[in-house]
Amino acid sequence: MLNVKKVVIPAAGLGTRFLPATKASPKEMLTVVDKPLIQFAAEEALDAGIKELIFIVGRNKNVIEDHFGKSSELESELEKKNKTESLELLKQVVPEGVTCAYIRQAEPLGLGHAVLCAASAIKDENFAVLLPDDLVKSESRGCLKQMLEEFEEGIDAILAVEKISLSESEKYGIVDPGTQRGRVIDVNGILEKPLAKDAASDYGVVGRYIFTPKILSFLRDLPAGAGNEIQLTDGIASLISNSKVKAYEFEGVRYDCGSKLGFLKANVDYAVEHPIIGSEFRNWLKGRTQ
Ligand code: G1P
């Protein structure tokens, strides 16, 4: 297992699908029950032992910085009122030893461009990329941790994948798979958002990646691709030509929180398991579906 200390968390999209909720607040701050998507992302990285968080932020950057920053006023209010549980929750947002950096992506030029914006912070180290609107709920180890266990010497990238319906191929990076051993699959090629007839398989990429720094040089010279954006997928396609790239079929359920339906499903699934409101919510839900 190779060492990975940094994670890039892109959060500079326009969030147009969630307007007006995202007019003044980034879509990554939308909450699943009581926790913003971006905090789920940070927690998944921490679960994988990654403690340097690099956020790529756009126009509503302050909200994200405030969320991960210290809130002295709120803390002292909670202390005064003896609200120890709430205070503890606040402190857990950024545990000891975790650092946060914020890099501005002035224009939403694509995921490849967002990753490239982090180049000066990544330097020549391995790094992960975690897209907050793909929420993965897993029983034991988080998705990134599972992938990290497979990130070995000789591999330059590992991507999370899951089987998708081919009618939705235009929403995903689709891999051309080679040999599969357990959950690990060789990747022979990758295409961003192909038509179903051009898709090499029904393995769609989910927003979790681990890279050696080699990918950065491939992203630098990339022309705009699908959707006229600089696509991470195109950088990976170039990387494949001289490096080993693997896909990992993770264990867990993925919610597409970039869509209203996926976001609502996540809210329901997390709500029914919530330690405080779970049982009452389950009862209410039963009553509604009868
Ligand atoms: C991005 C990637 C795509 C990947 C998807 C997963 O697309 O470009 O390859 O399959 O995330 O959510 P986006 O959803 O940002 O359009």
Side-chain angles (χ1 to χ4, degrees):
M1 192 170 119
L2 295 176
N3 203 1
V4 180
K5 291 190 280 189
K6 298 178 173 174
V7 62
V8 177
I9 304 181
L14 295 178
T16 43
R17 271 187 274 176
F18 280 92
L19 281 170
T22 48
K23 183 165 178 259
S25 178
K27 72 169 171 185
E28 293 76 12
M29 286 301 294
L30 292 172
T31 57
V32 171
V33 187
D34 47 14
K35 198 187 284 182
L37 288 170
I38 200 154
Q39 193 181 329
F40 280 97
E43 287 178 3
E44 189 179 321
L46 300 183
D47 171 69
I50 299 177
K51 292 190 174 155
E52 292 178 46
L53 314 180
I54 305 165
F55 296 101
I56 308 299
V57 290
R59 65 199 165 93
N60 299 315
K61 121 189 222 286
N62 294 352
V63 186
I64 294 175
E65 274 202 64
D66 286 351
H67 183 74
F68 289 101
K70 197 166 165 58
S71 46
S72 313
E73 256 173 56
L74 182 56
E75 281 184 27
S76 60
E77 274 308 304
L78 294 173
E79 249 164 52
K80 258 193 245 159
K81 294 190 168 137
N82 246 334
K83 301 217 166 192
T84 38
E85 268 179 40
S86 306
L87 198 59
E88 214 25 62
L89 272 181
L90 269 196
K91 289 185 175 158
Q92 279 166 15
V93 174
V94 182
E96 290 280 313
V98 175
T99 64
C100 299
Y102 304 90
I103 295 174
R104 184 84 189 221
Q105 185 187 22
E107 282 177 274
L109 297 178
L111 182 55
H113 180 260
V115 171
L116 209 45
C117 287
S120 60
I122 295 165
K123 301 197 175 82
D124 58 352
E125 290 185 46
N126 300 329
F127 65 101
V129 175
L130 205 157
L131 309 188
D133 54 13
D134 274 335
L135 179 59
V136 180
K137 187 164 170 287
S138 44
E139 289 310 319
S140 51
R141 293 122 64 237
C143 180
L144 207 53
K145 186 171 190 178
Q146 297 173 41
M147 293 165 69
L148 204 53
E149 287 167 5
E150 303 297 337
F151 191 53
E152 296 165 348
E153 200 63 54
I155 298 175
D156 280 301
I158 181 157
L159 336 166
V161 292
E162 72 174 358
K163 292 257 189 193
I164 56 126
S165 153
L166 265 186
S167 61
E168 301 206 313
S169 63
E170 288 168 71
K171 287 189 185 168
Y172 296 91
I174 301 284
V175 303
D176 178 1
T179 315
Q180 175 156 10
R181 266 160 276 97
R183 294 183 175 273
V184 183
I185 307 162
D186 290 342
V187 178
N188 297 330
I190 188 167
L191 208 54
E192 180 68 5
K193 304 191 168 85
L195 298 173
K197 69 176 176 55
D198 300 323
S201 74
D202 57 355
Y203 276 120
V205 174
V206 165
R208 304 288 184 276
Y209 311 77
I210 304 175
F211 295 108
T212 65
K214 219 170 169 182
I215 184 74
L216 297 174
S217 57
F218 289 99
L219 289 174
R220 274 191 190 103
D221 310 315
L222 224 50
N228 205 24
E229 292 186 347
I230 298 174
Q231 295 290 355
L232 181 58
T233 300
D234 294 344
I236 299 169
S238 313
L239 182 69
I240 290 170
S241 57
N242 73 351
S243 296
K244 250 195 215 164
V245 173
K246 305 272 181 183
Y248 181 81
E249 206 177 1
F250 60 93
E251 187 192 321
V253 181
R254 172 249 183 182
Y255 300 90
D256 173 12
C257 291
S259 81
K260 287 194 184 85
L261 192 60
F263 178 69
L264 288 175
K265 286 179 186 171
N267 266 288
V268 171
D269 278 0
Y270 277 81
V272 296
E273 287 181 13
H274 192 277
I276 298 168
I277 58 152
S279 96
E280 211 174 311
F281 184 68
R282 278 195 302 274
N283 286 338
W284 177 80
L285 209 54
K286 254 188 235 154
R288 271 189 71 92
T289 46
Q290 265 163 18

